[in-house]
Amino acid sequence: MLSRKLVKTDRIEIEGRAYTVDYFEARTERGTQRYTSETVLGPGDRIIVDGSSLRALEWRVARLMPATLYSRKLARAAA
């Protein structure tokens, strides 16, 4: 990706805790647009999701974040 710019910052609440989600627009070498989101959970712990449109990406983040956080919770419990 050649350039990336912040297009939106949002907050998502999961199980009573709020997380900040930054949405970026990028241009590929071929000139097409791609969108990515980045959610920082802690030092060195980020969730990055991508999509072909901002709307599709927002939908994906809303569906994946709860499952991702739950799986991390299960992994910590098993350790």
Side-chain angles (χ1 to χ4, degrees):
M1 306 242 178
L2 297 177
S3 64
R4 183 175 100 146
K5 73 174 184 177
L6 180 67
V7 293
K8 180 179 179 178
T9 298
D10 202 359
R11 294 184 65 77
I12 185 171
E13 188 172 319
I14 301 168
E15 294 184 359
R17 187 162 176 205
Y19 299 90
T20 300
V21 183
D22 292 325
Y23 292 91
F24 299 91
E25 177 185 87
R27 290 245 178 233
T28 67
E29 292 178 6
R30 294 182 179 168
T32 60
Q33 286 181 311
R34 293 291 299 171
Y35 294 88
T36 59
S37 70
E38 183 174 294
T39 306
V40 178
L41 300 180
D45 190 7
R46 299 171 189 266
I47 298 172
I48 298 171
V49 182
D50 70 336
S52 58
S53 73
L54 184 57
R55 188 173 189 194
L57 181 57
E58 290 171 319
W59 181 88
R60 187 177 285 177
V61 167
R63 300 307 176 273
L64 290 176
M65 280 296 294
T68 301
L69 294 172
Y70 183 67
S71 69
R72 286 198 163 119
K73 186 177 180 179
L74 289 175
R76 280 192 304 272

